[in-house]
Structures are given as structure tokens and as C-alpha cells.
Amino acid sequence: MAKNKQNFVCQSCGSSYHQWTGRCDSCDGWNTLVEEIISEKPPKGLGEREGKKIEISDLRITSDKQERFFTEIQELDRVFGGGLVPGSAILVAGDPGIGKSTLLLQAIAAVSKFNKSVIYVSGEEGKEQIRLRAKRLNLDESSVKLATATDVRNILSSLKANPTEVVVIDSIQTMYLDTLDASPGSVSQVRAAAQEFIRYGKESGTVILLVGHVTKDGQIAGPRILEHMVDTVLYFEGDRGHQFRIVRSIKNRFGPADEIGVFEMTSQGLTEVKNPSSVFLNGLKAPPYGTVVFAGIEGTRPVLMEIQALVSPGGAGNPRRAVLGWDSNRLSMILAVLERNTGHSFLTNDIYLNVVGGLKIKEPAADLAIAAAIMSSINSVPLNPETVVFGEIGLSGEIRPIAQSSTRLKEAKKLGFINAIVPSRTTDKKLTGISGVKIKSINQITELPSLFKIQTTKQEMHD
Ligand code: TYD
Ligand code: MG
């Protein structure tokens, strides 16, 4: 007989421990361990019994149609990696209330327009609630099918009886298997339920879209344990305070990862923002000091974003470092390099850094823009507003070359920028080919202060 074993499972990363501890050693989460009963059969070898023959096929594509389902919402099809691949499983994760249900309802309603059968299964809301939302989104005439259920066995039997091309499960934390003792939302239920849905999807060629909540207190099993089980992981970035919603593909087996889709939350749901740079720039003619425009690359697209720094005299005690949208360790590194090379000490300064619009920048290419924003704030000298900045800073203060410089500059030019501060060593040969953008190259961080004065303005260019 199988023995039941007690185990403490981290609700955030899924690691299990024999004893309760306050902090999970593997993901550093606090208070994330919850007791779960795991039935453990003793491991056995395969024995003598012959298995069934599995189907062995060619790698070559034999039928030339690798069909994808499109939503024709460009921002969304892009983060899906160019439409939805039949049989794939996609996890859409984000904080509660950020817009996951809204986005997926809009997405499948869009897919259903192309004569695809789609179903929205909700374990969180009643049918009337969902119908009301659909009405608000002007989707009440759509052919989307609706179900409210949480029992995985019932859902799968019903799906098998009514074959469907795209299924939304909202949310995976509400689903449960009647064969497990654990309560819905626990790691074992979430993992097992996801496994059942994903298996059904692969067998039947159905696209499975799973909604997953992320909570900071770890009460509900974090969708992080699902990341390796699904083909694509989309995360909502930004917070509910902003009207813009950024959906980022952090993993995609069918397209480029790190692609972003930008949406605006309106009274008619999420509408796509086709020119994301416009969201992250405030369009001020004379931006205040401490503001610098970074020409970044998000996924396959160039995006310009505004970075703001505020360096203020700190009070007594430890100086504050408040960072939004950027890695705070990387900020410490930039501060250390600036201290060493410019002679300014930040020991008594509070520093606030913000990426406008709620985007999270991951590229080291933003180093130079951040350094420039900090320098601009300390010296109360604004950088010329028609300037974009990019470049990685090395520990000895050297400015390192970065990839795709010309793509960044082209985007800057398109949006009316006429100056660029870029690394002097560049990997792009065609850099000089961008006419109309005055390039100032920089080799060492010590050259940065002098660049604040010599920027061209539009009048001078026209003279
Ligand atoms: P929702 O999709 O329910 O979030 P999630 O499923 O991630 O929990 O979105 C909820 C928020 O979106 C809610 O605060 C209201 C807002 N909202 C709008 O602003 N406009 C709309 O048309 C809809 C449907 C929702
Ligand atoms: Mg929801």
C-alpha cells in the first residue's frame, strides 16, 4: 500500500522540505511553505512487461500546413510568437485585477471570428458576470462558448464531447482533480490540473490558455512552477495604477522571447498601442533635469523610453535607493562607477529612479542613460530634449558597445530625435548612415558631463 507522507511545499517555486522553515532556501520567499500530503509509492523498475509501440515520425514537415490561429490584434499575435500554434499551452500570468480575463476574452472572441470554435471556462466568475463584461467589451454577439466549472474531470469530458480549437482556463488556481487530497490552489493541485489540460491540448491539437495569478504573499501557488510545463509564458508588467498594460513573453517555444505587446486599459477593455514609444515618452518640449530618453530594444522592436532620476540630499542614516523598472544591483554598480570617475559621493544622497510608463528594462544598454539621468539631476542641468542615449557601462568606466545600434537610431529619428549619445566602439558598421541624427560617441564615463553642453538643437541644425 502506498504510504502517505507529509511534506512542506513552497507555494512559490514548488521545492519541498521535510520540515517547515520560514524561508524557502531555493527561491528565498518568506512564509511560502505549506504542508501538503503526498502519497509516495516506492519506486520500482519497469519489470518484464512489454510496452505499447510509440509512433516514430520524420522530423521533416510532411504536410505543408502548419496552421496558426490569429487574433488579428497585432500586439497580441506578436507576443504569441505570430499567432497561436494548435496544441500549444500558454500561461498568462499577472497580479489580480491587471486585466488577464479581459485580454483573454478579447483574444478568443477575435479568434472566433475566423470560424474557430473557442470556449472560455471560468472558475472564478459567474456566467452573468462574464456576459456583462463581454457586453462592455462589445463582444456580446460573439460566438464564444462559456462554461463555469472547476472540476478538471468534468471539464475534460465536456471538451472531449465538444471538440474545441481554443480553450481558456481562468484560472488554473481554481481547478482541482478529485483524485488529490490537496485543496485547489495548492502546488500539487495546480501542477496536476495543468498537466491534465496540457496533455489534452497536445492530444487533440487544442490551444490551451491558462490564467495564473501571482500573489506576493504566496498564499496561492505561484505560476512559476508551471513555467517549464507550458510552451509560452506571458507576464503582465506594470501595475494597476497605470492605464498601460505591457504583456511580455518571457518564454516562447514558437517565437522570439522577450517580445512585448502594449495595451491601454479603457472603458472598452484593452486596446492596442501600435506605437509603444509614444507611451513611454511624455512629449514635453523641455523636459526637467534628471530625465533622459533611452533607445531600447524590446524583443524584436525598438522602443524609446524615458528614464527619470532624482538625486536628493538624504536625511540622517542610510541613504534611500528606490528603483522602479530597473535592477537595483545594477544601479549600485553605476553609482560606484560614477563615484570613482566623477568624484561625486552619493553617500549622503537619496536616489530615486523610475522608468516612465511601468516598463521593466532588462538591457544593460540602458546603463549610460541611467548614468546621464543621475548626472543631470545632481548638476541640475537638463540634457538636450532631442537626445537619445544608449550604451553599457563597464566596471572601469568604459562605455561598451551594444547590439542593434542602427535600429535604435532609426526609431529615434522616426520620432524626431536629432542627437544621440552612443558608445564609440560600435558593432554596427552602418551607424554613420543615419542622416539627420547627430551622433556623439563616448568612450569613457568621464566624458559624460561635457556632453550635456554640446548638444545640437533643432534651430542650430537648420541654420
Ligand atoms: P480583469 O480582466 O478582471 O483582471 P484579472 O483577470 O487579471 O484579475 O480586469 C479587471 C480590471 O480591469 C478591473 O479593475 C476593471 C478593469 N476594466 C476596465 O477598465 N475596462 C474594461 O472594459 C474591463 C472589462 C475591465
Ligand atoms: Mg480574472
Side-chain angles (χ1 to χ4, degrees):
M1 226 203 80
K3 260 195 314 193
N4 281 345
K5 201 172 129 189
Q6 279 183 332
N7 237 333
F8 294 89
V9 180
C10 172
Q11 303 291 295
S12 175
C13 70
S15 308
S16 68
Y17 300 86
H18 295 304
Q19 262 189 332
W20 190 87
T21 56
R23 177 162 161 266
C24 172
D25 284 339
S26 108
C27 71
D28 290 343
W30 286 94
N31 272 330
T32 53
L33 298 203
V34 166
E35 187 176 350
E36 285 186 15
I37 295 175
I38 289 168
S39 94
E40 202 177 65
K41 293 192 178 120
K44 274 192 219 151
L46 282 176
E48 293 298 308
R49 192 167 58 81
E50 281 288 326
K52 278 193 243 157
K53 301 280 181 298
I54 60 164
E55 192 189 323
I56 297 175
S57 327
D58 293 331
L59 170 65
R60 236 168 332 116
I61 298 169
T62 39
S63 72
D64 42 21
K65 70 162 200 258
Q66 178 32 302
E67 201 199 357
R68 290 193 181 216
F69 306 150
F70 292 97
T71 62
E72 303 261 298
I73 303 171
Q74 275 178 26
E75 291 295 303
L76 203 54
D77 285 339
R78 179 178 331 94
V79 286
F80 285 143
L84 296 162
V85 177
S88 64
I90 298 156
L91 173 68
V92 179
D95 293 342
I98 191 109
K100 300 180 294 296
S101 306
T102 309
L103 182 73
L104 290 181
L105 191 57
Q106 286 181 276
I108 57 166
V111 172
S112 75
K113 284 197 216 142
F114 302 95
N115 278 331
K116 301 282 179 259
S117 54
V118 303
I119 180 163
Y120 185 93
V121 182
S122 178
E124 298 197 336
E125 293 163 293
K127 284 187 181 162
E128 274 319 301
Q129 247 177 310
I130 301 165
R131 287 195 182 112
L132 276 175
R133 172 184 291 140
K135 196 162 170 13
R136 197 132 79 87
L137 300 171
N138 292 324
L139 300 174
D140 41 343
E141 297 297 315
S142 159
S143 60
V144 173
K145 292 275 181 287
L146 196 58
T148 50
T150 51
D151 186 325
V152 177
R153 187 190 300 278
N154 296 349
I155 297 172
L156 288 179
S157 301
S158 315
L159 288 176
K160 281 171 194 159
N162 303 283
T164 313
E165 280 154 312
V166 185
V167 176
V168 172
I169 303 293
D170 188 0
S171 65
I172 191 66
Q173 274 99 4
T174 57
M175 301 293 149
Y176 74 95
L177 262 64
D178 51 18
T179 45
L180 292 183
D181 277 338
S183 58
S186 62
V187 166
S188 29
Q189 282 287 10
V190 167
R191 190 187 282 146
Q195 224 148 30
E196 292 296 331
F197 286 121
I198 293 167
R199 183 184 309 143
Y200 167 74
K202 298 268 180 266
E203 279 166 10
S204 61
T206 308
V207 179
I208 306 286
L209 287 153
L210 301 172
V211 172
H213 292 295
V214 209
T215 53
K216 297 204 173 66
D217 58 357
Q219 281 305 304
I220 306 173
R224 284 172 50 186
I225 53 160
L226 300 175
E227 283 177 7
H228 69 277
M229 295 167 62
V230 296
D231 300 305
T232 303
V233 180
L234 305 184
Y235 257 95
F236 268 88
E237 269 177 24
D239 58 68
R240 278 182 292 166
H242 285 106
Q243 93 225 58
F244 295 108
R245 300 283 186 274
I246 297 142
V247 182
R248 187 189 291 274
S249 64
I250 60 161
K251 160 182 173 178
N252 198 345
R253 287 188 183 143
F254 307 110
D258 256 334
E259 201 67 82
I260 59 166
V262 184
F263 301 90
E264 186 178 1
M265 185 58 103
T266 66
S267 58
Q268 270 108 49
L270 291 157
T271 51
E272 51 182 337
V273 175
K274 293 217 168 108
N275 177 9
S277 295
S278 64
V279 172
F280 308 115
L281 300 176
N282 70 16
L284 288 182
K285 286 258 159 19
Y289 46 78
T291 298
V292 168
V293 177
F294 164 55
I297 300 275
E298 291 294 336
T300 52
R301 274 194 304 183
V303 179
L304 302 192
M305 28 203 149
E306 211 167 86
I307 292 171
Q308 293 192 310
L310 174 66
V311 181
S312 66
N318 284 340
R320 271 186 71 97
R321 304 281 184 255
V323 191
L324 285 175
W326 177 251
D327 177 18
S328 52
N329 287 329
R330 195 113 195 143
L331 174 67
S332 307
M333 189 205 89
I334 296 171
L335 292 178
V337 173
L338 284 176
E339 284 194 344
R340 181 71 183 264
N341 289 281
T342 64
H344 185 95
S345 165
F346 295 100
L347 208 59
T348 56
N349 288 133
D350 287 345
I351 297 178
Y352 303 89
L353 190 78
N354 182 30
V355 178
V356 176
L359 197 73
K360 288 196 184 82
I361 306 184
K362 301 204 176 69
E363 277 189 291
D367 288 354
L368 189 58
I370 284 163
I374 293 168
M375 294 297 287
S376 161
S377 180
I378 307 172
N379 301 319
S380 306
V381 179
L383 191 66
N384 182 301
E386 286 141 346
T387 307
V388 295
V389 181
F390 56 84
E392 183 180 341
I393 300 177
L395 282 183
S396 54
E398 81 277 19
I399 311 299
R400 307 172 74 90
I402 54 168
Q404 303 189 44
S405 304
S406 44
T407 315
R408 297 169 202 265
L409 289 173
K410 275 182 205 142
E411 175 77 0
K413 189 188 168 193
K414 207 167 88 190
L415 287 151
F417 288 82
I418 53 172
N419 293 298
I421 301 179
V422 310
S424 52
R425 284 175 299 139
T426 166
T427 48
D428 267 15
K429 289 196 184 67
K430 289 177 292 179
L431 204 61
T432 45
I434 317 280
S435 63
V437 180
K438 189 167 181 246
I439 290 168
K440 185 69 209 163
S441 50
I442 168 169
N443 201 22
Q444 244 292 331
I445 192 78
T446 43
E447 300 161 24
L448 190 59
S450 65
L451 292 174
F452 280 81
K453 290 164 207 126
I454 56 158
Q455 292 300 303
T456 322
T457 63
K458 262 187 181 142
Q459 280 83 359
E460 286 169 33
M461 288 270 288
H462 292 279
D463 286 346

